[in-house]
Amino acid sequence: MQILITGDLLRWEELRNSKDFGGHQVFTAPEPTNMSVDLVIDLSLDEHPQRAAFYAAHPRVPVLACLVKITAAELQQYAAGNSIDHIYGCNLLPGFISMPILEIAAKPEALMQQLGWIYESITPTIGMVTPRVICMIINEAYFTAEEGTASREDIDISMKLGTNYPMGPFEWSKKIGIRHVYEVLQAVYQHTGNERYKVCSLLQQEYEAQQ
């Protein structure tokens, strides 16, 4: 296959270092312009949903796209009334790309067999599954730090020892990026109204300081 990868350079590096492309021919570009390929991997479509109109005009080219922060229904609004059934939402946030199993809100079996990648099909939902859980844990850790109950280092150590997680919540937040953590939590909270996802003020302060 000829594969076009577009989006965040850091995510592309994580993808390149963690996924085997075998004999497939890979091209990279900051924006999707050439659709004379067999597959597009868009590492940041949920941050540039206007691209949906471009992809909708090329229904024969499947797209694996990061769709964690918006729903397929929201993306459809940018598609000028055309189908986007060939766009498969994935968890392609930083820190998650290198996980051995790719989370996809669809069942593109033939495509994934061609790639040879292991994937888990999930029900389409805002925030997907793993980002929701990890970002909620990070948010709770920020509440604990804000209260002064424990230091960030102690919280990380306690989580790793108590749950056997590979990283603590603050280590996770650095790997994912505070902007992505904040935006995932905001998206899930706005869609669900669940207080568990309401952003901790300390986390919000750090997010705003980076903007």
Side-chain angles (χ1 to χ4, degrees):
M1 283 194 299
Q2 291 188 324
I3 303 172
L4 171 64
I5 298 175
T6 186
D8 191 319
L9 179 59
L10 290 176
R11 287 193 235 188
W12 159 231
E13 291 177 355
E14 184 179 350
L15 183 68
R16 180 179 58 190
N17 292 330
S18 60
K19 295 291 186 287
D20 182 11
F21 285 91
H24 302 301
Q25 193 172 8
V26 177
F27 307 92
T28 61
E31 293 285 337
T33 53
N34 179 14
M35 293 298 282
S36 299
V37 294
D38 303 299
L39 169 67
V40 173
I41 300 178
D42 191 321
L43 300 170
S44 52
L45 181 57
D46 54 4
E47 296 179 5
H48 304 279
Q50 70 278 1
R51 292 178 185 163
F54 180 75
Y55 294 138
H58 300 84
R60 294 186 178 181
V61 181
V63 181
L64 290 177
C66 188
L67 286 180
V68 178
K69 302 173 188 176
I70 65 174
T71 64
E74 289 172 326
L75 187 67
Q76 181 67 65
Q77 297 174 13
Y78 294 86
N82 296 315
S83 172
I84 56 170
D85 289 346
H86 61 300
I87 301 178
Y88 304 110
C90 306
N91 175 15
L92 293 171
L93 288 175
F96 296 99
I97 295 171
S98 56
M99 288 184 168
I101 300 176
L102 180 64
E103 196 171 294
I104 305 181
K107 294 183 179 181
E109 295 180 13
L111 178 60
M112 298 310 291
Q113 284 177 359
Q114 284 183 280
L115 285 171
W117 296 354
I118 301 171
Y119 78 101
E120 181 73 27
S121 179
I122 64 164
T123 301
T125 183
I126 189 73
M128 293 197 163
V129 176
T130 310
R132 268 192 182 215
V133 173
I134 297 297
C135 290
M136 183 181 66
I137 291 172
I138 291 170
N139 199 40
E140 290 297 328
Y142 267 90
F143 277 117
T144 302
E146 186 178 48
E147 293 167 357
T149 306
S151 69
R152 298 187 182 203
E153 183 180 10
D154 287 342
I155 293 169
D156 278 344
I157 293 171
S158 297
M159 285 294 294
K160 286 188 285 188
L161 292 176
T163 62
N164 202 30
Y165 283 1
M167 287 183 286
F170 291 103
E171 292 172 324
W172 260 114
S173 68
K174 289 179 182 178
K175 189 167 185 178
I176 300 168
I178 198 70
R179 177 174 69 85
H180 296 300
V181 173
Y182 173 86
E183 290 174 357
V184 169
L185 288 168
Q186 277 286 83
V188 177
Y189 180 64
Q190 289 172 2
H191 277 78
T192 67
N194 191 322
E195 291 292 319
R196 292 186 300 172
Y197 302 103
K198 188 173 183 179
V199 179
C200 172
S201 59
L202 179 59
L203 192 158
Q204 182 165 349
Q205 288 169 18
E206 291 191 12
Y207 164 78
E208 291 174 349
Q210 289 188 8
Q211 302 312 301

